[in-house]
Amino acid sequence: MPQNISRNPGRHFLQIPGPTLVPDRIMRAIDSQLIDHRGPEFSKLAKRCLEGIKTIFKTTNPVIIYTATGTGAWEAAFVNTLSPGDRVLMVETGQFATLWKAMAQNLGLKPEFIPGDWRTGADPKQIEEHLRKDKAHEIKAVCVLHNETATGCLSSIAAIRKAIDAAGHPALLMVDTISSLASTDYRHDEWGVDVSIGGAQKGLMLPPGMSFNAISDKALEASKTSKLTKSFWSWNDMLNMNKQGFFPYTPATQMIQGLAVAIDMLHEEGLDNVFARHARAAEATRRAIRAWGLEILCRDPQFYSPTITAVLLPDGHDAEAFRALALDAFNISYGTSFGPYARKYFRIGHLGDFNDGWILGALSLTEMALGLAGIPHKKGGVQAAMDYIESSHSRAARAAAE
Amino acid sequence: MPQNISRNPGRHFLQIPGPTLVPDRIMRAIDSQLIDHRGPEFSKLAKRCLEGIKTIFKTTNPVIIYTATGTGAWEAAFVNTLSPGDRVLMVETGQFATLWKAMAQNLGLKPEFIPGDWRTGADPKQIEEHLRKDKAHEIKAVCVLHNETATGCLSSIAAIRKAIDAAGHPALLMVDTISSLASTDYRHDEWGVDVSIGGAQKGLMLPPGMSFNAISDKALEASKTSKLTKSFWSWNDMLNMNKQGFFPYTPATQMIQGLAVAIDMLHEEGLDNVFARHARAAEATRRAIRAWGLEILCRDPQFYSPTITAVLLPDGHDAEAFRALALDAFNISYGTSFGPYARKYFRIGHLGDFNDGWILGALSLTEMALGLAGIPHKKGGVQAAMDYIESSHSRAARAAAE
Amino acid sequence: MPQNISRNPGRHFLQIPGPTLVPDRIMRAIDSQLIDHRGPEFSKLAKRCLEGIKTIFKTTNPVIIYTATGTGAWEAAFVNTLSPGDRVLMVETGQFATLWKAMAQNLGLKPEFIPGDWRTGADPKQIEEHLRKDKAHEIKAVCVLHNETATGCLSSIAAIRKAIDAAGHPALLMVDTISSLASTDYRHDEWGVDVSIGGAQKGLMLPPGMSFNAISDKALEASKTSKLTKSFWSWNDMLNMNKQGFFPYTPATQMIQGLAVAIDMLHEEGLDNVFARHARAAEATRRAIRAWGLEILCRDPQFYSPTITAVLLPDGHDAEAFRALALDAFNISYGTSFGPYARKYFRIGHLGDFNDGWILGALSLTEMALGLAGIPHKKGGVQAAMDYIESSHSRAARAAAE
Amino acid sequence: MPQNISRNPGRHFLQIPGPTLVPDRIMRAIDSQLIDHRGPEFSKLAKRCLEGIKTIFKTTNPVIIYTATGTGAWEAAFVNTLSPGDRVLMVETGQFATLWKAMAQNLGLKPEFIPGDWRTGADPKQIEEHLRKDKAHEIKAVCVLHNETATGCLSSIAAIRKAIDAAGHPALLMVDTISSLASTDYRHDEWGVDVSIGGAQKGLMLPPGMSFNAISDKALEASKTSKLTKSFWSWNDMLNMNKQGFFPYTPATQMIQGLAVAIDMLHEEGLDNVFARHARAAEATRRAIRAWGLEILCRDPQFYSPTITAVLLPDGHDAEAFRALALDAFNISYGTSFGPYARKYFRIGHLGDFNDGWILGALSLTEMALGLAGIPHKKGGVQAAMDYIESSHSRAARAAAE
């Protein structure tokens, strides 16, 4: 921001990997006067949300809606299904996997952490091998992030399901889909996930303050013998009250108002169109990065994330300084870096409610910021992104015409 | 609502005991576009809230802000300070005290419940006697609701503090101030409370989705040896991150936007004026009830609540049927009834952002609804309320003139 | 407002005779991002409004939508149909009739003003007599306010139509329905009105900034020979462009967004229910005034207004001082007084988006303000209003049950 | 928009030359509950706006605020100062000049139209010559558009002032600054303009529905003898009422709420920074167009507009088809074409509340749309725009460092 200015014009380019920009229509639904959360009108609204959210997780089972952010839903997944001392298998995909592991420890579980270099997704084979060794079936849950928000690596949940089955292991499968849900295909039922953990503030286009547990029958069964203490997070009370469209304690009513609209909007666009839009933005972003001659943190294309792309800077360049400069000069925010690569990369979020023009604007700012920051790069990144997006539209137009 | 109408005109009279109507100014602050919750602008906003909320609890110690409703903050108070099997002294003031006790059990604590008839507040003498018997100081906490939301009875926290001190007992004092904070005087520090539990959706005039733990040094000390498992609720991570104006995980950013404005508005009105306004509405409501010839659930004036008044219906009249009729005919919502008095009373909330005209409108609807429902009562309730409010203004005007 | 307070809690009682409180749903529709006012989406929206507004005026003819307040629509009615020097017959019902007459003079017309005492509506017989004398048919228009906003007197347009016909006079009939439209029955076609002038900020529940001309074929015909200069107000350009859902110049797009919702809301409630609600509030208000022992400005019940009631204060009491006191002490605004009765009365608006509870709140504040101001009156006004409203509901309930 | 989609994700690229995207902060100010437009709170607000708007026009004289769009303010300028049959000198810069001329005729004035080819601004020399010939000083006003919205050509008002003075002619100078005000430097007083006509929905970043007349003492003097009929547009009533912060009739109160914030925001950014931002976007846009090998409608750089750039398409390509394709494929709206160049060009608006990223997003969509539409062009337009913007920032950073 130039000197002597106390306001940034235009809309901030919020390219962090969530929370994402909230569409006006959702904001206006949140901005409605409160109604009795125990009355008939609210009950109708809540039922609509409780049914609707199932279509987003692709499940016919109940989905629990928490007034809490994703971290709370992580905790809920554990305390409802496991008991003190239970072994859980987790995979070190990055910072969020590491935080989730730390939570397991805090709650008295015994996490086993398959090590990773923070540049790929989870390897189903390693999971299978690890489980095969557990002949006594002491491992009670396998916990994986669908999309590691810290690195932009997406794991194949379908393949992990197969790996567990191949090992003949009865462990529950718990999946964090916080930064992938409603942005790329996710199939709770078909992939045999037992607890899917989701959040409001990414693909669902809501502000933060709401999170989810989609649960399988097997998880529900496990909850009956689970011995970790639970009260606020208890599925049981929730499931009972939800049947009437109510909650055991006051829910975040305005988030529920927003959720109803968010689900409508996703279906109005069409989930497959939503996924295609994210995939297009992700590929455009990667092409820009390659054209700049920079390196993508995710080192194996099979793990490329549709929602977040992390960009490594050349040695000697500080990613935090770059982020500060870009914010100051161009009013754009990126995600920060973590762990072994702290200060070495920045993350571009391309998820939520955006369109082609917006992403190209963000990439333009990035290309210029690289220039201002004196980071060695080639020009042409935006051009490469535009070429790709234009050709996608041409193909789509041809397909529609045929 | 008459037939053939699918819309209710005007503003709904939301007289439940919270959530309360949210002022437009707060709603518009919530209805603002998202910013980076790890960026400098958000840090400034969060610090402003973290400082400001202290002035509402009247404490110089830190206040933890949770993305969760009050129930979550109850849990946080327990898991941060206590260990499995700890004895806690609780008082049966009504439904919410009963729920909190159930939570203590769920979390592996051993609550001892001083029985009550749901028509008064907590008796400091009983607490003192109970504690005196605990010579070994095995009771680790005394837990009381400042205002029992289910019955409209307010307890004296200052007197309970004295009772604990008189017994020479080291137990922590935990107080639920959810339906009293920012509506009547509350003094975390002066009254020696160790954990004060507050919520956003009552006197703070925000939507639900945020709750608080105000903590004493003693509570903080207790947290170092507490053995209940904790992760999401952990004070420690919060206190560390809050110093920089950040949170260990994504907070409900829009609620933070609203909170900043809510604190401003309370101070613009003046906390003492806010309290006087609530007291005036409460007394006006009680005078109306007496004029109608009906009975107030709270049977001892020393416990009258400034925020909620529960009205007993004559025998043979179903309070749920009355609530449904009032909602249908006059677009007014009351709070429901619980426990031994289920279906025997309804609750009038008079808290949050209201004024004299609004309360008189609500009482007018109530008087008419009693008529429509055929509930035996005398007229003149609204007149009595008006007489009282008018005389309050006369006194205030005279006082200002002198 | 007490001392040391810089904010008034709760919702302001805006009981002026318009602008009225705008429902949240309309406000949120206005609070939507702009779209191309020449694009297909806007065209669809505009067509929906242009059709919908006809149902409010009860006409099948076009209605012109102006970006201007009612005064502009008055001017439009004149300049589109009349020529310099034309005689027009107007009736002195009060301040707004007087202003409209002054406008006629400013525009070079020759108004003839049937005198009135500002305490009744227009007398059809006087109009008939006046027209009968104009054998040469030099009078080109009869201009009447359906509801005189300054006094709360409603004239019978059906009776005036009959009077004109009885005189066999070809003058155009122009009616200001600004403070009656969408609050009481109005029938542009059936009553043979040639130009109906409406505004957004009263019964239509929108903010000010939009006004209307509903026009008859006869008025349209007259516009072809009219010689008053016109450009911005020209019907012709409007009618041409409106066919495609566009406007000759940029319209107030956000008001159009709000108008679409306002029309929906009126029909969701049902126009007859809207009218009954206004009639009920008006009668309740009059009963309160009578119980107070005060005088209603409108001295003949046949002219009672369903939207505005003016209250005369006893001699020696200044209505402006009363209004200031009520605003200061009770956060309620009334309409001011004009002309021969300036400072002698205040006006209570009971129109737009309100409900029974709101009106009773407003009357309660008024009764208390009379007390605080030391204006001689009896108590019991609110009680009388409540008795009436309760009995209306009883009757409605019985009728629905039969 | 692809098939099977009923919603466009992200924010629409509204690149028409106004109305422009309205900042959230202004929208939220408009989205506030109504207050009494005759009460003390409104008076304070109105005075703040009436003073503030002067700083935007750079005048110390009063500015009239109309509830109407710019067309109304054109009419107001004429009817307040001129008399039937008055000669006025106008310049054919494009469609809006032509419309204004037609209005002059409709109002009974005698416009003399200096012909133009729609590809430049007004030529001061031609004006001077024309005035010199009018020895009798029968021409009463010179009327020019500062920025011709239809073509993107900016005229020098300072030079035109000099031309009039050089001719020693007493005609009033009337300037339409609708699409330039608050986007590029404008100096009502210094340039000796007699009536400046402005609108809300461009640089002022408000929705449409408000317009302005900034007036000189000379214009005010002329208004005393002006004989065109006027009522709604009369300056006199306005000036009288405005002194107390009121309006002769109900103003568009919510637009006034928005205006107060808009003026604040412009000064927070700094007017010179606002102008520099517009200039930078305009030059970036022109460089893109040149890189594409396309022609800018404005054929002389001295007339380049800082707010609107019109792009000529090669022969045989229909600009309306291009606009429809771009809207459909990329969710971007451009301005349409007029007059001799109808269907031959489209207009890119770069005004109001935007930033670098937004403009580059819009140019990216344009470059891709040219490709999809099969319009012959070279790639590299966005690259050229980025190079320019990046270098501007480098220069600014260097300047700030020195």
Side-chain angles (χ1 to χ4, degrees), chain A residues 22 27-28 31-33 69 75 208 232 250-251, chain B residues 22 27-28 31-33 69 75 208 232 250-251:
Chain A
V22 176
M27 271 299 192
R28 289 317 99 74
D31 185 353
S32 60
Q33 199 41 270
T69 38
E75 184 159 328
F232 182 82
T250 317
Chain B
V22 176
M27 271 298 194
R28 287 320 97 73
D31 185 355
S32 60
Q33 197 44 267
T69 38
E75 185 159 328
F232 182 82
T250 316

PDB file of all heavy atoms in Angstrom, chain A residues 22 27-28 31-33 69 75 208 232 250-251, chain B residues 22 27-28 31-33 69 75 208 232 250-251:
ATOM      1  N   VAL A  22     -16.488 -15.181   0.903  1.00  0.00           N
ATOM      2  CA  VAL A  22     -17.854 -15.681   1.056  1.00  0.00           C
ATOM      3  C   VAL A  22     -18.760 -14.957   0.062  1.00  0.00           C
ATOM      4  O   VAL A  22     -18.758 -13.731   0.001  1.00  0.00           O
ATOM      5  CB  VAL A  22     -18.352 -15.454   2.495  1.00  0.00           C
ATOM      6  CG1 VAL A  22     -19.803 -15.876   2.641  1.00  0.00           C
ATOM      7  CG2 VAL A  22     -17.467 -16.218   3.480  1.00  0.00           C
ATOM      8  N   MET A  27     -23.569 -14.398   2.640  1.00  0.00           N
ATOM      9  CA  MET A  27     -23.408 -13.366   3.674  1.00  0.00           C
ATOM     10  C   MET A  27     -24.747 -12.734   4.025  1.00  0.00           C
ATOM     11  O   MET A  27     -25.024 -12.472   5.195  1.00  0.00           O
ATOM     12  CB  MET A  27     -22.449 -12.285   3.178  1.00  0.00           C
ATOM     13  CG  MET A  27     -21.011 -12.573   3.503  1.00  0.00           C
ATOM     14  SD  MET A  27     -20.741 -12.668   5.315  1.00  0.00           S
ATOM     15  CE  MET A  27     -18.947 -12.629   5.359  1.00  0.00           C
ATOM     16  N   ARG A  28     -25.578 -12.496   3.044  1.00  0.00           N
ATOM     17  CA  ARG A  28     -26.877 -11.868   3.311  1.00  0.00           C
ATOM     18  C   ARG A  28     -27.797 -12.845   4.046  1.00  0.00           C
ATOM     19  O   ARG A  28     -28.658 -12.429   4.821  1.00  0.00           O
ATOM     20  CB  ARG A  28     -27.545 -11.392   2.010  1.00  0.00           C
ATOM     21  CG  ARG A  28     -26.954 -10.203   1.297  1.00  0.00           C
ATOM     22  CD  ARG A  28     -26.525  -9.045   2.113  1.00  0.00           C
ATOM     23  NE  ARG A  28     -25.105  -9.081   2.344  1.00  0.00           N
ATOM     24  CZ  ARG A  28     -24.151  -8.810   1.452  1.00  0.00           C
ATOM     25  NH1 ARG A  28     -24.455  -8.433   0.236  1.00  0.00           N
ATOM     26  NH2 ARG A  28     -22.871  -8.883   1.757  1.00  0.00           N
ATOM     27  N   ASP A  31     -26.754 -12.651   7.462  1.00  0.00           N
ATOM     28  CA  ASP A  31     -27.189 -11.335   7.934  1.00  0.00           C
ATOM     29  C   ASP A  31     -28.716 -11.255   7.919  1.00  0.00           C
ATOM     30  O   ASP A  31     -29.321 -10.444   7.223  1.00  0.00           O
ATOM     31  CB  ASP A  31     -26.573 -10.264   7.030  1.00  0.00           C
ATOM     32  CG  ASP A  31     -26.856  -8.846   7.511  1.00  0.00           C
ATOM     33  OD1 ASP A  31     -27.628  -8.678   8.469  1.00  0.00           O
ATOM     34  OD2 ASP A  31     -26.306  -7.908   6.914  1.00  0.00           O
ATOM     35  N   SER A  32     -29.337 -12.141   8.679  1.00  0.00           N
ATOM     36  CA  SER A  32     -30.803 -12.119   8.804  1.00  0.00           C
ATOM     37  C   SER A  32     -31.107 -12.161  10.293  1.00  0.00           C
ATOM     38  O   SER A  32     -30.303 -12.641  11.077  1.00  0.00           O
ATOM     39  CB  SER A  32     -31.403 -13.326   8.089  1.00  0.00           C
ATOM     40  OG  SER A  32     -30.929 -14.535   8.655  1.00  0.00           O
ATOM     41  N   GLN A  33     -32.257 -11.634  10.665  1.00  0.00           N
ATOM     42  CA  GLN A  33     -32.534 -11.544  12.098  1.00  0.00           C
ATOM     43  C   GLN A  33     -32.747 -12.931  12.709  1.00  0.00           C
ATOM     44  O   GLN A  33     -33.177 -13.855  12.022  1.00  0.00           O
ATOM     45  CB  GLN A  33     -33.751 -10.647  12.342  1.00  0.00           C
ATOM     46  CG  GLN A  33     -33.874 -10.119  13.762  1.00  0.00           C
ATOM     47  CD  GLN A  33     -32.573  -9.667  14.424  1.00  0.00           C
ATOM     48  OE1 GLN A  33     -31.880 -10.447  15.067  1.00  0.00           O
ATOM     49  NE2 GLN A  33     -32.227  -8.407  14.246  1.00  0.00           N
ATOM     50  N   THR A  69     -14.596 -24.973  14.772  1.00  0.00           N
ATOM     51  CA  THR A  69     -13.859 -25.116  13.521  1.00  0.00           C
ATOM     52  C   THR A  69     -13.318 -26.533  13.403  1.00  0.00           C
ATOM     53  O   THR A  69     -13.553 -27.378  14.268  1.00  0.00           O
ATOM     54  CB  THR A  69     -12.762 -24.047  13.407  1.00  0.00           C
ATOM     55  OG1 THR A  69     -12.173 -23.842  14.684  1.00  0.00           O
ATOM     56  CG2 THR A  69     -13.356 -22.742  12.900  1.00  0.00           C
ATOM     57  N   GLU A  75     -11.279 -33.588  16.999  1.00  0.00           N
ATOM     58  CA  GLU A  75     -11.402 -34.112  18.353  1.00  0.00           C
ATOM     59  C   GLU A  75     -12.659 -34.971  18.477  1.00  0.00           C
ATOM     60  O   GLU A  75     -12.637 -36.037  19.099  1.00  0.00           O
ATOM     61  CB  GLU A  75     -11.442 -32.936  19.347  1.00  0.00           C
ATOM     62  CG  GLU A  75     -11.467 -33.370  20.797  1.00  0.00           C
ATOM     63  CD  GLU A  75     -11.007 -32.264  21.767  1.00  0.00           C
ATOM     64  OE1 GLU A  75     -10.142 -31.436  21.389  1.00  0.00           O
ATOM     65  OE2 GLU A  75     -11.502 -32.239  22.900  1.00  0.00           O
ATOM     66  N   PRO A 208     -15.661 -19.182   8.850  1.00  0.00           N
ATOM     67  CA  PRO A 208     -15.317 -20.244   9.796  1.00  0.00           C
ATOM     68  C   PRO A 208     -16.257 -20.234  10.997  1.00  0.00           C
ATOM     69  O   PRO A 208     -16.845 -19.208  11.326  1.00  0.00           O
ATOM     70  CB  PRO A 208     -13.886 -19.901  10.222  1.00  0.00           C
ATOM     71  CG  PRO A 208     -13.696 -18.474   9.889  1.00  0.00           C
ATOM     72  CD  PRO A 208     -14.631 -18.140   8.777  1.00  0.00           C
ATOM     73  N   PHE A 232     -19.505 -32.201  25.064  1.00  0.00           N
ATOM     74  CA  PHE A 232     -19.856 -31.288  23.976  1.00  0.00           C
ATOM     75  C   PHE A 232     -19.841 -32.002  22.624  1.00  0.00           C
ATOM     76  O   PHE A 232     -20.648 -31.724  21.759  1.00  0.00           O
ATOM     77  CB  PHE A 232     -18.863 -30.124  23.963  1.00  0.00           C
ATOM     78  CG  PHE A 232     -19.115 -29.077  22.916  1.00  0.00           C
ATOM     79  CD1 PHE A 232     -20.048 -28.075  23.126  1.00  0.00           C
ATOM     80  CD2 PHE A 232     -18.414 -29.071  21.707  1.00  0.00           C
ATOM     81  CE1 PHE A 232     -20.274 -27.085  22.163  1.00  0.00           C
ATOM     82  CE2 PHE A 232     -18.637 -28.097  20.745  1.00  0.00           C
ATOM     83  CZ  PHE A 232     -19.571 -27.094  20.974  1.00  0.00           C
ATOM     84  N   THR A 250     -27.685 -24.591  21.913  1.00  0.00           N
ATOM     85  CA  THR A 250     -27.889 -23.578  20.882  1.00  0.00           C
ATOM     86  C   THR A 250     -26.837 -23.691  19.776  1.00  0.00           C
ATOM     87  O   THR A 250     -25.649 -23.530  20.037  1.00  0.00           O
ATOM     88  CB  THR A 250     -27.783 -22.170  21.502  1.00  0.00           C
ATOM     89  OG1 THR A 250     -28.491 -22.174  22.727  1.00  0.00           O
ATOM     90  CG2 THR A 250     -28.322 -21.124  20.571  1.00  0.00           C
ATOM     91  N   PRO A 251     -27.237 -23.945  18.555  1.00  0.00           N
ATOM     92  CA  PRO A 251     -26.266 -23.997  17.458  1.00  0.00           C
ATOM     93  C   PRO A 251     -25.974 -22.579  16.944  1.00  0.00           C
ATOM     94  O   PRO A 251     -26.619 -21.627  17.359  1.00  0.00           O
ATOM     95  CB  PRO A 251     -26.997 -24.809  16.401  1.00  0.00           C
ATOM     96  CG  PRO A 251     -28.429 -24.448  16.591  1.00  0.00           C
ATOM     97  CD  PRO A 251     -28.610 -24.182  18.075  1.00  0.00           C
TER      98      PRO A 251
ATOM     99  N   VAL B  22     -30.267  -9.297  17.292  1.00  0.00           N
ATOM    100  CA  VAL B  22     -28.935  -8.734  17.086  1.00  0.00           C
ATOM    101  C   VAL B  22     -29.072  -7.349  16.454  1.00  0.00           C
ATOM    102  O   VAL B  22     -29.754  -7.199  15.445  1.00  0.00           O
ATOM    103  CB  VAL B  22     -28.095  -9.660  16.193  1.00  0.00           C
ATOM    104  CG1 VAL B  22     -26.742  -9.037  15.883  1.00  0.00           C
ATOM    105  CG2 VAL B  22     -27.913 -11.018  16.867  1.00  0.00           C
ATOM    106  N   MET B  27     -24.780  -6.871  13.095  1.00  0.00           N
ATOM    107  CA  MET B  27     -25.019  -7.742  11.944  1.00  0.00           C
ATOM    108  C   MET B  27     -24.225  -7.277  10.724  1.00  0.00           C
ATOM    109  O   MET B  27     -23.681  -8.084   9.986  1.00  0.00           O
ATOM    110  CB  MET B  27     -26.505  -7.749  11.593  1.00  0.00           C
ATOM    111  CG  MET B  27     -27.274  -8.812  12.333  1.00  0.00           C
ATOM    112  SD  MET B  27     -26.664 -10.491  11.917  1.00  0.00           S
ATOM    113  CE  MET B  27     -28.000 -11.476  12.590  1.00  0.00           C
ATOM    114  N   ARG B  28     -24.156  -5.982  10.536  1.00  0.00           N
ATOM    115  CA  ARG B  28     -23.428  -5.462   9.369  1.00  0.00           C
ATOM    116  C   ARG B  28     -21.927  -5.666   9.548  1.00  0.00           C
ATOM    117  O   ARG B  28     -21.198  -5.832   8.566  1.00  0.00           O
ATOM    118  CB  ARG B  28     -23.732  -3.981   9.155  1.00  0.00           C
ATOM    119  CG  ARG B  28     -25.089  -3.591   8.623  1.00  0.00           C
ATOM    120  CD  ARG B  28     -25.698  -4.410   7.559  1.00  0.00           C
ATOM    121  NE  ARG B  28     -26.629  -5.386   8.082  1.00  0.00           N
ATOM    122  CZ  ARG B  28     -27.843  -5.110   8.574  1.00  0.00           C
ATOM    123  NH1 ARG B  28     -28.305  -3.891   8.574  1.00  0.00           N
ATOM    124  NH2 ARG B  28     -28.614  -6.079   9.010  1.00  0.00           N
ATOM    125  N   ASP B  31     -21.366  -9.080   8.603  1.00  0.00           N
ATOM    126  CA  ASP B  31     -21.560  -9.135   7.151  1.00  0.00           C
ATOM    127  C   ASP B  31     -20.483  -8.292   6.464  1.00  0.00           C
ATOM    128  O   ASP B  31     -20.774  -7.311   5.786  1.00  0.00           O
ATOM    129  CB  ASP B  31     -22.967  -8.618   6.835  1.00  0.00           C
ATOM    130  CG  ASP B  31     -23.327  -8.747   5.365  1.00  0.00           C
ATOM    131  OD1 ASP B  31     -22.462  -9.147   4.568  1.00  0.00           O
ATOM    132  OD2 ASP B  31     -24.481  -8.444   5.019  1.00  0.00           O
ATOM    133  N   SER B  32     -19.247  -8.677   6.686  1.00  0.00           N
ATOM    134  CA  SER B  32     -18.133  -7.991   6.010  1.00  0.00           C
ATOM    135  C   SER B  32     -17.261  -9.082   5.408  1.00  0.00           C
ATOM    136  O   SER B  32     -17.276 -10.221   5.861  1.00  0.00           O
ATOM    137  CB  SER B  32     -17.336  -7.163   7.019  1.00  0.00           C
ATOM    138  OG  SER B  32     -16.794  -7.988   8.030  1.00  0.00           O
ATOM    139  N   GLN B  33     -16.546  -8.740   4.374  1.00  0.00           N
ATOM    140  CA  GLN B  33     -15.781  -9.780   3.669  1.00  0.00           C
ATOM    141  C   GLN B  33     -14.619 -10.282   4.533  1.00  0.00           C
ATOM    142  O   GLN B  33     -14.099  -9.547   5.368  1.00  0.00           O
ATOM    143  CB  GLN B  33     -15.283  -9.251   2.325  1.00  0.00           C
ATOM    144  CG  GLN B  33     -14.858 -10.345   1.358  1.00  0.00           C
ATOM    145  CD  GLN B  33     -15.800 -11.548   1.264  1.00  0.00           C
ATOM    146  OE1 GLN B  33     -15.632 -12.553   1.958  1.00  0.00           O
ATOM    147  NE2 GLN B  33     -16.817 -11.433   0.418  1.00  0.00           N
ATOM    148  N   THR B  69     -20.576 -22.758  21.465  1.00  0.00           N
ATOM    149  CA  THR B  69     -21.562 -22.113  22.328  1.00  0.00           C
ATOM    150  C   THR B  69     -21.246 -22.416  23.791  1.00  0.00           C
ATOM    151  O   THR B  69     -20.263 -23.088  24.094  1.00  0.00           O
ATOM    152  CB  THR B  69     -22.990 -22.509  21.928  1.00  0.00           C
ATOM    153  OG1 THR B  69     -23.005 -23.873  21.553  1.00  0.00           O
ATOM    154  CG2 THR B  69     -23.460 -21.670  20.759  1.00  0.00           C
ATOM    155  N   GLU B  75     -17.450 -27.096  29.324  1.00  0.00           N
ATOM    156  CA  GLU B  75     -16.510 -28.221  29.225  1.00  0.00           C
ATOM    157  C   GLU B  75     -15.075 -27.719  29.388  1.00  0.00           C
ATOM    158  O   GLU B  75     -14.256 -28.333  30.071  1.00  0.00           O
ATOM    159  CB  GLU B  75     -16.691 -28.928  27.875  1.00  0.00           C
ATOM    160  CG  GLU B  75     -15.847 -30.177  27.723  1.00  0.00           C
ATOM    161  CD  GLU B  75     -16.380 -31.126  26.651  1.00  0.00           C
ATOM    162  OE1 GLU B  75     -17.611 -31.194  26.441  1.00  0.00           O
ATOM    163  OE2 GLU B  75     -15.570 -31.800  26.005  1.00  0.00           O
ATOM    164  N   PRO B 208     -25.387 -16.733  18.243  1.00  0.00           N
ATOM    165  CA  PRO B 208     -24.673 -17.798  18.935  1.00  0.00           C
ATOM    166  C   PRO B 208     -23.490 -18.295  18.112  1.00  0.00           C
ATOM    167  O   PRO B 208     -23.478 -18.167  16.887  1.00  0.00           O
ATOM    168  CB  PRO B 208     -25.731 -18.903  19.073  1.00  0.00           C
ATOM    169  CG  PRO B 208     -26.784 -18.599  18.074  1.00  0.00           C
ATOM    170  CD  PRO B 208     -26.732 -17.125  17.804  1.00  0.00           C
ATOM    171  N   PHE B 232      -8.774 -29.328  21.900  1.00  0.00           N
ATOM    172  CA  PHE B 232      -9.473 -28.161  21.371  1.00  0.00           C
ATOM    173  C   PHE B 232      -9.678 -27.098  22.443  1.00  0.00           C
ATOM    174  O   PHE B 232      -9.570 -25.903  22.175  1.00  0.00           O
ATOM    175  CB  PHE B 232     -10.834 -28.596  20.820  1.00  0.00           C
ATOM    176  CG  PHE B 232     -11.641 -27.487  20.191  1.00  0.00           C
ATOM    177  CD1 PHE B 232     -11.404 -27.084  18.889  1.00  0.00           C
ATOM    178  CD2 PHE B 232     -12.662 -26.844  20.892  1.00  0.00           C
ATOM    179  CE1 PHE B 232     -12.158 -26.069  18.298  1.00  0.00           C
ATOM    180  CE2 PHE B 232     -13.415 -25.833  20.310  1.00  0.00           C
ATOM    181  CZ  PHE B 232     -13.160 -25.449  19.010  1.00  0.00           C
ATOM    182  N   THR B 250      -8.219 -21.701  13.209  1.00  0.00           N
ATOM    183  CA  THR B 250      -9.051 -20.648  12.630  1.00  0.00           C
ATOM    184  C   THR B 250     -10.214 -20.289  13.547  1.00  0.00           C
ATOM    185  O   THR B 250     -11.066 -21.128  13.816  1.00  0.00           O
ATOM    186  CB  THR B 250      -9.623 -21.115  11.276  1.00  0.00           C
ATOM    187  OG1 THR B 250      -8.577 -21.751  10.550  1.00  0.00           O
ATOM    188  CG2 THR B 250     -10.180 -19.954  10.496  1.00  0.00           C
ATOM    189  N   PRO B 251     -10.288 -19.057  14.019  1.00  0.00           N
ATOM    190  CA  PRO B 251     -11.435 -18.669  14.849  1.00  0.00           C
ATOM    191  C   PRO B 251     -12.618 -18.280  13.956  1.00  0.00           C
ATOM    192  O   PRO B 251     -12.485 -18.195  12.739  1.00  0.00           O
ATOM    193  CB  PRO B 251     -10.908 -17.441  15.584  1.00  0.00           C
ATOM    194  CG  PRO B 251      -9.952 -16.821  14.620  1.00  0.00           C
ATOM    195  CD  PRO B 251      -9.340 -17.952  13.818  1.00  0.00           C
TER     196      PRO B 251
END
